[in-house]
Amino acid sequence: MKLGFVSAILDQSSYEEMMDFASANGFECVEVACWPSGKAERRYAGVSHIDAERVLEDAKYADRIIDYAREKRVELSSLAFYPNTMDPDPQKREGIIEHLKNVILASSRLKVGMVTTFIGRDQTKTVEENLKLVKEIWPPIIEMAERENVKIAIENCPMLFGPDQWPGGQNLMTTPDIWKKVFEILPSKNLGINYDPSHFVWQMIDYVKPIYEFRDKIFHVHYKDIKVYEEKRNQVGIMAYPLDFMSPKLPGLGDVDWGKYVSALTDIGYEGYSCIEVEDKAFEKSPDDAKKALVLSAVYLRNFVI
């Protein structure tokens, strides 16, 4: 496995500065944020270390991205864009899908071959209704990915944390049962999972067993921890807003057993990219705090990933 990080946490750095940091601190890869510039709608979104549209229009810019990564000996694990592709607003949805397609094309142009994203969800509709939307919206996206030889890895984050995302959340692919249903609708070798164990912790789902069951669909993995505060959950219950009883933490500071997690990945022969995702509010005071969070996480994870 190659150890890296999701670049969105270094939101005040340029692409070159971000890659300099990765190289200087021994990271082997980076999952590079590729949002449309200046369109942040939530924490850690809106960051753009690579301009996907410019990659398609400016050959010198694209070549510079490739050459700089090669110079720094840091691989691009994927181009990352995590929107809601099934937003209930048709106009907004169209713009999101257009940019996602450009990210797929840019991933092909840069010879990355991977896009990490969400499947999306209309949060006002049932699971069954959203599965119909998947069948309506996603086939053309998957067809483009197949033509461009780009894998799409869907993170299993429910995007259900507070009142703005209530009641259903903004990402459908949150459980093994729903994974199966989506893979039946979209039976493509180019569609898989960006596996993050932390999201299973607060849903009280076994985060190790699915690694074996979906071994052929795990394209990319995350290292992010979650701490569940049982005393808070006992007060609000599991149907409360999740952030009322849990919090994202650095790897090793929450409830994930990282030895069991990485052991399962080695059991299935996973040798791909694995990226630290920092969303720990204890490390948000300054850009230096964000860099410290990445270094601390890497020191801990090097017990398992070398």
mmCIF file of all heavy atoms in Angstrom, residues 4-5 11 26 30 52 72 92 97 117 137 144 146 154 159 162 223 229 244 248 271:
data_model
loop_
_atom_site.group_PDB
_atom_site.id
_atom_site.type_symbol
_atom_site.label_atom_id
_atom_site.label_comp_id
_atom_site.label_asym_id
_atom_site.label_seq_id
_atom_site.Cartn_x
_atom_site.Cartn_y
_atom_site.Cartn_z
ATOM 1 N N GLY A 4 -0.772 8.191 1.663
ATOM 2 C CA GLY A 4 -0.883 9.581 1.250
ATOM 3 C C GLY A 4 -1.935 10.299 2.051
ATOM 4 O O GLY A 4 -2.291 9.891 3.159
ATOM 5 N N PHE A 5 -2.469 11.385 1.481
ATOM 6 C CA PHE A 5 -3.502 12.142 2.183
ATOM 7 C C PHE A 5 -4.429 12.814 1.175
ATOM 8 O O PHE A 5 -4.080 12.979 -0.005
ATOM 9 C CB PHE A 5 -2.890 13.182 3.132
ATOM 10 C CG PHE A 5 -2.016 14.225 2.466
ATOM 11 C CD1 PHE A 5 -2.548 15.383 1.926
ATOM 12 C CD2 PHE A 5 -0.636 14.044 2.397
ATOM 13 C CE1 PHE A 5 -1.748 16.343 1.328
ATOM 14 C CE2 PHE A 5 0.189 14.991 1.799
ATOM 15 C CZ PHE A 5 -0.375 16.145 1.261
ATOM 16 N N ASP A 11 -5.946 23.665 2.244
ATOM 17 C CA ASP A 11 -6.730 24.520 1.345
ATOM 18 C C ASP A 11 -6.062 25.858 1.046
ATOM 19 O O ASP A 11 -6.453 26.547 0.099
ATOM 20 C CB ASP A 11 -8.134 24.751 1.918
ATOM 21 C CG ASP A 11 -8.118 25.398 3.293
ATOM 22 O OD1 ASP A 11 -7.069 25.366 3.953
ATOM 23 O OD2 ASP A 11 -9.165 25.927 3.715
ATOM 24 N N GLY A 26 7.541 12.462 3.253
ATOM 25 C CA GLY A 26 7.582 11.034 2.975
ATOM 26 C C GLY A 26 6.283 10.407 2.514
ATOM 27 O O GLY A 26 6.160 9.173 2.537
ATOM 28 N N VAL A 30 -1.068 11.391 -3.199
ATOM 29 C CA VAL A 30 -2.013 12.419 -2.766
ATOM 30 C C VAL A 30 -3.312 12.239 -3.540
ATOM 31 O O VAL A 30 -3.295 12.038 -4.758
ATOM 32 C CB VAL A 30 -1.466 13.842 -3.003
ATOM 33 C CG1 VAL A 30 -2.497 14.877 -2.592
ATOM 34 C CG2 VAL A 30 -0.169 14.077 -2.251
ATOM 35 N N ALA A 52 -9.657 21.116 -13.184
ATOM 36 C CA ALA A 52 -9.962 20.068 -14.169
ATOM 37 C C ALA A 52 -10.227 20.646 -15.551
ATOM 38 O O ALA A 52 -9.770 20.096 -16.570
ATOM 39 C CB ALA A 52 -11.164 19.247 -13.698
ATOM 40 N N LYS A 72 8.655 15.364 -7.791
ATOM 41 C CA LYS A 72 8.564 15.222 -6.338
ATOM 42 C C LYS A 72 8.418 13.769 -5.891
ATOM 43 O O LYS A 72 8.403 13.485 -4.698
ATOM 44 C CB LYS A 72 7.375 16.038 -5.815
ATOM 45 C CG LYS A 72 7.565 17.545 -5.973
ATOM 46 C CD LYS A 72 8.764 18.025 -5.159
ATOM 47 C CE LYS A 72 9.087 19.475 -5.394
ATOM 48 N NZ LYS A 72 10.221 19.942 -4.569
ATOM 49 N N LYS A 92 -28.902 22.642 -10.702
ATOM 50 C CA LYS A 92 -27.709 22.431 -9.897
ATOM 51 C C LYS A 92 -27.097 21.069 -10.201
ATOM 52 O O LYS A 92 -25.876 20.928 -10.342
ATOM 53 C CB LYS A 92 -28.066 22.539 -8.415
ATOM 54 C CG LYS A 92 -26.878 22.475 -7.488
ATOM 55 C CD LYS A 92 -27.311 22.682 -6.043
ATOM 56 C CE LYS A 92 -26.121 22.609 -5.100
ATOM 57 N NZ LYS A 92 -26.542 22.792 -3.692
ATOM 58 N N ILE A 97 -22.830 17.432 -12.491
ATOM 59 C CA ILE A 97 -22.489 16.303 -13.362
ATOM 60 C C ILE A 97 -21.533 16.740 -14.461
ATOM 61 O O ILE A 97 -20.593 16.014 -14.814
ATOM 62 C CB ILE A 97 -23.760 15.666 -13.942
ATOM 63 C CG1 ILE A 97 -24.553 14.984 -12.819
ATOM 64 C CG2 ILE A 97 -23.414 14.653 -15.039
ATOM 65 C CD1 ILE A 97 -25.919 14.488 -13.244
ATOM 66 N N THR A 117 -15.395 10.036 -5.359
ATOM 67 C CA THR A 117 -16.566 10.894 -5.344
ATOM 68 C C THR A 117 -17.684 10.252 -4.522
ATOM 69 O O THR A 117 -17.476 9.256 -3.830
ATOM 70 C CB THR A 117 -17.015 11.171 -6.797
ATOM 71 O OG1 THR A 117 -18.036 12.173 -6.803
ATOM 72 C CG2 THR A 117 -17.522 9.920 -7.490
ATOM 73 N N ILE A 137 -29.537 8.589 -13.741
ATOM 74 C CA ILE A 137 -28.486 9.596 -13.809
ATOM 75 C C ILE A 137 -27.112 9.028 -14.125
ATOM 76 O O ILE A 137 -26.334 9.615 -14.889
ATOM 77 C CB ILE A 137 -28.433 10.383 -12.477
ATOM 78 C CG1 ILE A 137 -29.712 11.217 -12.329
ATOM 79 C CG2 ILE A 137 -27.188 11.249 -12.381
ATOM 80 C CD1 ILE A 137 -29.884 11.834 -10.945
ATOM 81 N N MET A 144 -18.817 7.063 -19.750
ATOM 82 C CA MET A 144 -17.666 7.934 -20.015
ATOM 83 C C MET A 144 -16.429 7.406 -19.298
ATOM 84 O O MET A 144 -15.325 7.365 -19.880
ATOM 85 C CB MET A 144 -17.955 9.371 -19.558
ATOM 86 C CG MET A 144 -16.714 10.260 -19.587
ATOM 87 S SD MET A 144 -17.022 11.957 -19.067
ATOM 88 C CE MET A 144 -17.669 12.627 -20.593
ATOM 89 N N GLU A 146 -15.729 4.386 -18.487
ATOM 90 C CA GLU A 146 -15.269 3.183 -19.188
ATOM 91 C C GLU A 146 -14.505 3.553 -20.453
ATOM 92 O O GLU A 146 -13.449 2.970 -20.743
ATOM 93 C CB GLU A 146 -16.451 2.286 -19.504
ATOM 94 C CG GLU A 146 -17.058 1.616 -18.277
ATOM 95 C CD GLU A 146 -18.328 0.837 -18.587
ATOM 96 O OE1 GLU A 146 -18.933 1.080 -19.668
ATOM 97 O OE2 GLU A 146 -18.727 0.005 -17.766
ATOM 98 N N ILE A 154 -16.525 5.242 -5.049
ATOM 99 C CA ILE A 154 -17.534 5.948 -4.266
ATOM 100 C C ILE A 154 -17.240 5.789 -2.780
ATOM 101 O O ILE A 154 -17.187 4.666 -2.262
ATOM 102 C CB ILE A 154 -18.946 5.413 -4.560
ATOM 103 C CG1 ILE A 154 -19.256 5.481 -6.077
ATOM 104 C CG2 ILE A 154 -19.989 6.174 -3.745
ATOM 105 C CD1 ILE A 154 -19.340 6.870 -6.642
ATOM 106 N N MET A 159 -23.054 11.461 4.357
ATOM 107 C CA MET A 159 -23.305 12.902 4.215
ATOM 108 C C MET A 159 -24.599 13.278 4.937
ATOM 109 O O MET A 159 -25.461 13.978 4.405
ATOM 110 C CB MET A 159 -23.348 13.308 2.730
ATOM 111 C CG MET A 159 -21.984 13.323 2.079
ATOM 112 S SD MET A 159 -20.766 14.312 2.980
ATOM 113 C CE MET A 159 -21.490 15.941 2.842
ATOM 114 N N GLY A 162 -26.002 16.923 10.022
ATOM 115 C CA GLY A 162 -26.762 17.957 10.714
ATOM 116 C C GLY A 162 -28.076 18.246 10.016
ATOM 117 O O GLY A 162 -28.464 17.557 9.070
ATOM 118 N N TYR A 223 -8.052 6.728 5.585
ATOM 119 C CA TYR A 223 -7.755 6.607 7.004
ATOM 120 C C TYR A 223 -8.328 7.834 7.710
ATOM 121 O O TYR A 223 -7.740 8.926 7.659
ATOM 122 C CB TYR A 223 -6.244 6.546 7.250
ATOM 123 C CG TYR A 223 -5.541 5.376 6.624
ATOM 124 C CD1 TYR A 223 -4.463 5.564 5.766
ATOM 125 C CD2 TYR A 223 -5.942 4.072 6.898
ATOM 126 C CE1 TYR A 223 -3.799 4.488 5.198
ATOM 127 C CE2 TYR A 223 -5.283 2.999 6.331
ATOM 128 C CZ TYR A 223 -4.220 3.207 5.484
ATOM 129 O OH TYR A 223 -3.575 2.132 4.927
ATOM 130 N N TYR A 229 -19.286 9.287 21.385
ATOM 131 C CA TYR A 229 -19.418 9.630 22.801
ATOM 132 C C TYR A 229 -20.684 8.955 23.331
ATOM 133 O O TYR A 229 -21.803 9.442 23.112
ATOM 134 C CB TYR A 229 -19.489 11.140 22.966
ATOM 135 C CG TYR A 229 -18.271 11.853 22.409
ATOM 136 C CD1 TYR A 229 -18.258 12.337 21.095
ATOM 137 C CD2 TYR A 229 -17.121 12.013 23.179
ATOM 138 C CE1 TYR A 229 -17.141 12.972 20.577
ATOM 139 C CE2 TYR A 229 -15.999 12.653 22.664
ATOM 140 C CZ TYR A 229 -16.013 13.131 21.364
ATOM 141 O OH TYR A 229 -14.897 13.755 20.848
ATOM 142 N N ASP A 244 -24.244 15.129 16.990
ATOM 143 C CA ASP A 244 -24.636 15.309 18.385
ATOM 144 C C ASP A 244 -24.009 14.254 19.292
ATOM 145 O O ASP A 244 -24.008 14.420 20.518
ATOM 146 C CB ASP A 244 -26.164 15.245 18.535
ATOM 147 C CG ASP A 244 -26.862 16.482 18.002
ATOM 148 O OD1 ASP A 244 -26.159 17.466 17.702
ATOM 149 O OD2 ASP A 244 -28.098 16.462 17.877
ATOM 150 N N PRO A 248 -15.352 13.333 14.098
ATOM 151 C CA PRO A 248 -14.194 12.833 13.352
ATOM 152 C C PRO A 248 -12.898 13.124 14.101
ATOM 153 O O PRO A 248 -12.734 14.204 14.678
ATOM 154 C CB PRO A 248 -14.248 13.605 12.030
ATOM 155 C CG PRO A 248 -15.646 14.123 11.941
ATOM 156 C CD PRO A 248 -16.082 14.362 13.347
ATOM 157 N N GLU A 271 -3.099 -3.568 -2.510
ATOM 158 C CA GLU A 271 -1.799 -2.915 -2.643
ATOM 159 C C GLU A 271 -1.934 -1.545 -3.292
ATOM 160 O O GLU A 271 -0.992 -1.025 -3.885
ATOM 161 C CB GLU A 271 -0.849 -3.795 -3.456
ATOM 162 C CG GLU A 271 -0.516 -5.122 -2.781
ATOM 163 C CD GLU A 271 0.454 -5.968 -3.581
ATOM 164 O OE1 GLU A 271 0.633 -5.682 -4.788
ATOM 165 O OE2 GLU A 271 1.033 -6.915 -3.012
#
